[in-house]
Structure formats: C-alpha cells, structure tokens
Amino acid sequence: MTEERERPETVIREEIVPWMSAMAAAFRVGLAGLTRVRVEGAIDEIPRTGPVIIAANHSSNLDVPVLGSSLMPRTGRRFQWLGKRELFDWPLVGWVARNGGVHAIERGAADVEAFRLAARLLEEGHVLFVFPEGTRSHEGTLGEGRDGVAVLALRTGAPIVPVGVTGSYERWPRGQKLPHPGGRVMVRVGSPFRLADELPTDLDRRAAKSAATDLIMRRIAALVPERQRGRYGTAPRALKVSEPKPVG
C-alpha cells in the first residue's frame, strides 16, 4: 500500500499586483460618486512586515470596498479576508475574490476550519482583515464581539490594528438593496497593540479570552462616536486594561 500524499497548500501572495492597485483606484472613484470617504489616524503605524490583524466594526456592505480601497494601497501589503463561498459564484465579484486575497468559508462549516486557515495566514506573516462581530450590525451600533479574533491574537502573538467606520450604515443599512448616495464615511485607524502587553498576566485561559475580546471591541469603540458604541459604550468593565482616549 502506498502512502497517501498530502496536497500542497496554495501559496498565498503578499504583494499588491498592478491590477489590484487599479481596482482599488476604480473603487475609490466609484465611491466618490456615492459618498465622501475620509481616512485618518495611525495609518503609518500599520506594520509593513510580519503578521497583523486589522479588526474593524461591520455595519454595511460598503465596509469592505471602503476599507480595502482606502487602507490596502497605503500599506503596500495585500489584505487576506475570510469570505462566504457564495461570493465566488458571482461573475465579476468571484474573480476579484479568488485573486484578491479572499479565502472561501462554507456556511455552517466548523469554526475550527476557519480558525486553522486564519492561523495559517498569520503564521506565514500576512495581514488578516477581520470583523470581530462576525456579521453586519442591524442598527449600525457595535454588536457583541466573538472570541475567535482574540484567540487568534493570543495564540499567534500578532499585533492588532483597530479600525472604526462611521457613516457606512447610513449610506447602506442592512436589508436595503441599494445604497443611499450622499453624506460621509469616516475611517479612523487606531495604533497597533499586542494583547500580551495589555492584559493582566494572572488570568486563566477563559478569563483571558473574554478580557481580550472586550479589549479589542473597546479599542474599536473608541474610534467611533458614542452613539455607535452600543454595549461597549455603557457596559461595566470587569477587568482593568489600558485604552486610548475615545474619539468624539
């Protein structure tokens, strides 16, 4: 009996190729006809090498094109995303997804598979873009963060860059087929941080995971107006961890 050989894993590219730069520019032009997009904050502090987790709030279908086209070209690095497999069935969107750093995840698939893929991306030194809430907000305010991002950061030691997006929900709320033109979408980038530098050292695994998730979400909440912070603007804190001065 011959031994079964493992299939080689796909090589994941890090660099931004010319067509991606052109696509990002086209998205920026298209978005300019819909709304004004402004980006501010610690953009230059996003690491240019090594593993990075960029964690943003998610309240609209506009978030991905806004963040991808405005942040990725400024870092010079290709972002890696985990996306639902249905995206790959759309003619143009599917091609962009397959070639633009999106990795398909089956609906209802075990979380462990998505976690292994995300961990591999970080272990290979890539930029992983995530929405810790796991889905779009129904009201435009921050929903409860899931623990997956915190566990990834704790296990890999990757720095986290928090990003707050404001105004995208008003332009294209969940359940609406087409966006409303007008207004402004604001993207605020926070300074990168490592969970190991922020959390108490005497926490057990469960407490560390919970505290890490809370910290990540509160760092994002500090980058959006108070009205948008949801539970992370009013909920009491169980543990003391450092946090930046809130914006607005």
Side-chain angles (χ1 to χ4, degrees):
M1 179 182 293
T2 59
E3 294 183 2
E4 183 179 349
R5 295 183 179 180
E6 294 184 0
R7 289 179 300 174
E9 293 183 314
T10 302
V11 175
I12 300 171
R13 302 182 66 176
E14 168 79 358
E15 74 279 6
I16 297 177
V17 294
W19 76 261
M20 295 180 71
S21 297
M23 182 70 71
F27 270 117
R28 290 195 297 273
V29 171
L31 288 167
L34 175 65
T35 185
R36 292 173 293 156
V37 177
R38 180 177 175 181
V39 183
E40 63 181 30
I43 304 170
D44 293 338
E45 295 181 32
I46 299 176
R48 296 313 195 252
T49 59
V52 181
I53 297 173
I54 298 182
N57 61 304
H58 194 20
S59 56
S60 170
N61 279 330
L62 275 182
D63 295 336
V64 171
V66 165
L67 293 168
S69 65
S70 62
L71 293 185
M72 189 171 65
R74 301 190 189 200
T75 68
R77 304 181 66 184
R78 182 184 297 200
F79 291 176
Q80 309 295 328
W81 317 68
L82 302 184
K84 56 187 179 182
R85 184 168 294 279
E86 290 90 325
L87 288 174
F88 294 76
D89 295 332
W90 302 356
L92 177 59
V93 174
W95 187 90
V96 173
R98 278 190 297 273
N99 295 277
V102 180
H103 303 271
I105 298 296
E106 294 283 1
R107 282 185 182 272
D111 289 342
V112 67
E113 295 302 323
F115 183 88
R116 286 174 178 169
L117 174 56
R120 177 199 167 196
L121 293 171
L122 293 172
E123 288 165 358
E124 293 182 359
H126 297 291
V127 179
L128 178 64
F129 203 111
V130 296
F131 296 113
E133 298 159 277
T135 187
R136 285 171 293 155
S137 167
H138 287 278
E139 292 83 26
T141 57
L142 279 173
E144 183 175 5
R146 299 184 180 181
D147 291 335
V149 177
V151 175
L152 271 174
L154 287 168
R155 293 191 181 180
T156 64
I160 302 167
V161 177
V163 176
V165 183
T166 302
S168 62
Y169 177 80
E170 288 76 13
R171 303 281 66 76
W172 199 353
R174 184 168 181 166
Q176 183 170 300
K177 293 183 178 180
L178 295 174
H180 292 299
R184 183 177 69 180
V185 174
M186 174 71 73
V187 177
R188 289 190 174 102
V189 181
S191 295
F193 66 96
R194 294 180 188 272
L195 293 176
D197 298 331
E198 304 290 339
L199 298 177
T201 58
D202 59 346
L203 299 177
D204 61 31
R205 182 179 299 180
R206 178 176 295 183
K209 181 172 65 174
S210 177
T213 299
D214 186 74
L215 173 59
I216 294 168
M217 295 306 297
R218 289 186 183 278
R219 287 291 174 93
I220 295 173
L223 298 167
V224 300
E226 186 174 358
R227 69 179 185 278
Q228 197 177 342
R229 295 172 191 163
R231 60 180 292 154
Y232 297 100
T234 58
R237 307 226 15 173
L239 294 167
K240 284 189 175 181
V241 291
S242 61
E243 61 181 298
K245 182 179 179 182
V247 177

